[in-house]
Amino acid sequence: MAILEVKNLNLGFECECGFRQALYDVSFSLEKGKMHALVGESGCGKTISAMSVLKLLPKTASIIGGEIFFDGENILLMSNSKLQKLRGAKIALIPQDPMTSLNPLYTIGDQLLEVIKIHQGLHGTEAYQKAIEALELVQIPCAKERFKAYPHEFSGGMKQRAIIAMALVCNAEILIADEPTTALDVTIQAQIMSLLKDIQTTRNTAILLITHDLALVGENADYVSVMYAGRIVESAPAAEFFNNPNHPYTHALLKSMPSAKRNERLQTITGQPPTIQQFINGCKFHPRCLQCMDICKTVVPPVYYVGENHFSACFLNKDANCPND
Ligand code: SF4
C-alpha cells in the first residue's frame, strides 16, 4: 500500500527573468517497506521533488499544482504545526552533507536527546537508553563514549549513521535519502546502503532514494523513476527497468554507467540538460536525442505504458501495446 503519493506536482521559481517552471506533472508513489529511486543528472528536479514532500522549499519556489498525500492526507493542505510534527517524526531527511543537519556546537548525544524529547516526550534515563539503543542500531561502536562526542569527532560515515539514528528514534515511516553516500568512500557507501536496506526490511520503512548513481539503484531500489528537465520520463519496477529500459535518455544513462560485464567503451551523453531559464519546445530531451523525430520538436510526448507498471514518455512507443492504458 502506498504511504506517499505525489500526483501531478507542478512547481516553479521566481527568477530575475520572471517565473520559470521547474517541475511538470511529477507523479510517483512510495510503498511501505520499499525503496523508490529518483534518478537523473544534477538540476533535473529530483531534490526539489523530494523537498516538496517535506514542504521545505526555497522562498522563491511555489507549487502551482498537484497533490502530495501522506497516509491519505494532502501534505500541501496541512497547517504549519501539523507539518512540523510530520517532519522528522514521520518523514525524515538524510541529507548529502550530514553537517547540514548536525549542530557542531552540541554533542551527538545531546542532539539525539533533543529529538527524543520533542518527538517522543521522553526524558532522563528513558531518553538516554533510547539514544544509546539507536546508536547501537546504526552500528556506531562504543555507543556510550560516542554519545558524548561532537560531530567534528565523527567521520563522514559516522555522521551519516548519527543522522539515521535520529530518524530511527522518531520511528520515521519514510526516509528521504538525498544522495546519502555521495561524500563517502566506496566501502563506507556500501555500509550505509546496507544499513538503509536493513532499516527498510526490518522496520517496514519506505525509502525515497535521490541519486544520480544507477549502480547504487541497481543494487538497492525496488522501483525506479528517471527524471529529465523536471519531468519523470520513465518509471518501472527495478528489475523491469534494468532488463527492459525504454526511454532514449535511460538508455544513454545506462550506457554511461561503468560495468565490469560490458567490454565496451563508456559513452557520454552529448550536450547538457537545459537550465531552468531555457525553454525547450516538445520533448525536452530532443536536442540530445539520437532518435529525435519531427514531432518531438513541437509536441510534449505523453506517457506510454510499455510493460506492467512501466511507463515511458517517448514518441517511439506510439504504436506500442499499452497494457496499463
Ligand atoms: Fe527522443 Fe523523441 Fe523520444 Fe524525446 S520523444 S526521447 S526526442 S525519440
Side-chain angles (χ1 to χ4, degrees):
M1 180 203 146
I3 187 162
L4 180 78
E5 267 194 283
V6 176
K7 289 185 175 175
N8 302 103
L9 182 65
N10 286 278
L11 173 147
F13 288 93
E14 208 55 65
C15 310
E16 278 172 14
C17 44
F19 186 80
R20 290 289 183 271
Q21 192 158 345
L23 295 182
Y24 299 83
D25 286 320
V26 169
S27 298
F28 62 89
S29 62
L30 190 55
E31 287 176 29
K32 283 186 182 182
K34 300 284 180 201
M35 186 182 289
H36 189 140
L38 273 188
V39 186
E41 291 164 282
S42 298
C44 68
K46 48 194 195 304
T47 293
I48 201 78
S49 301
M51 290 301 136
S52 302
V53 169
L54 290 161
K55 234 178 150 194
L56 283 177
L57 296 170
K59 280 202 178 96
T60 51
S62 41
I63 291 173
I64 49 173
E67 296 166 307
I68 302 176
F69 291 99
F70 170 76
D71 231 356
E73 197 173 349
N74 191 348
I75 289 176
L76 301 181
L77 301 178
M78 279 183 191
S79 64
N80 277 343
S81 62
K82 196 157 189 185
L83 260 176
Q84 262 166 8
K85 280 186 197 143
L86 193 79
R87 293 179 194 134
K90 301 277 185 194
I91 307 178
L93 175 69
I94 299 166
Q96 183 173 349
D97 175 5
M99 283 313 284
T100 55
S101 298
L102 291 170
N103 188 328
L105 302 176
Y106 292 92
T107 64
I108 295 290
D110 282 342
Q111 295 183 59
L112 265 170
L113 290 178
E114 182 69 9
V115 173
I116 293 168
K117 188 172 94 185
I118 293 172
H119 292 294
Q120 299 212 4
L122 299 178
H123 300 265
T125 318
E126 240 184 321
Y128 174 75
Q129 274 165 357
K130 191 106 193 154
I132 297 296
E133 261 170 42
L135 290 176
E136 284 170 349
L137 259 172
V138 297
Q139 294 145 26
I140 289 187
C142 313
K144 286 184 183 159
E145 278 101 82
R146 299 292 185 169
F147 178 88
K148 297 176 221 153
Y150 286 87
H152 74 268
E153 297 174 275
F154 272 32
S155 65
M158 296 252 284
K159 283 184 202 126
Q160 209 52 304
R161 284 171 197 274
I163 297 283
I164 297 171
M166 288 184 195
L168 292 185
V169 292
C170 300
N171 291 323
E173 292 175 50
I174 296 177
L175 296 184
I176 297 179
D178 187 5
E179 307 268 10
T181 58
T182 303
L184 307 173
D185 68 44
V186 179
T187 326
I188 308 297
Q189 190 176 74
Q191 289 172 6
I192 294 291
M193 284 315 297
S194 136
L195 176 61
L196 288 176
K197 276 306 273 183
D198 250 25
I199 293 167
Q200 179 199 329
T201 46
T202 56
R203 299 183 158 231
N204 210 22
T205 307
I207 299 182
L208 181 63
L209 176 69
I210 311 297
T211 185
H212 62 274
D213 185 343
L214 275 175
L216 207 69
V217 173
E219 283 159 19
N220 297 286
D222 300 291
Y223 210 87
V224 189
S225 293
V226 177
M227 289 194 78
Y228 187 80
R231 274 183 210 282
I232 293 187
V233 295
E234 181 161 9
S235 195
E240 161 77 4
F241 177 85
F242 285 100
N243 290 331
N244 197 17
N246 181 277
H247 197 279
Y249 179 56
T250 306
H251 280 284
L253 281 180
L254 289 169
K255 282 185 183 151
S256 63
M257 175 182 152
S259 159
K261 286 187 218 144
R262 272 198 333 253
N263 187 18
E264 55 188 53
R265 265 181 103 89
L266 281 186
Q267 293 183 20
T268 52
I269 311 174
T270 50
Q272 298 287 330
T275 63
I276 191 173
Q277 281 89 3
Q278 287 172 289
F279 186 77
I280 294 181
N281 266 326
C283 170
K284 288 188 184 289
F285 187 56
H286 87 254
R288 303 172 81 188
C289 181
L290 300 176
Q291 289 154 283
C292 177
M293 302 169 282
D294 282 346
I295 188 175
C296 311
K297 297 176 188 166
T298 51
V299 183
V300 176
V303 156
Y304 295 94
Y305 279 89
V306 293
E308 202 170 338
N309 294 320
H310 182 180
F311 73 75
S312 173
C314 173
F315 283 121
L316 292 172
N317 300 301
K318 253 191 316 180
D319 303 322
N321 284 332
C322 305
N324 286 15
D325 232 0

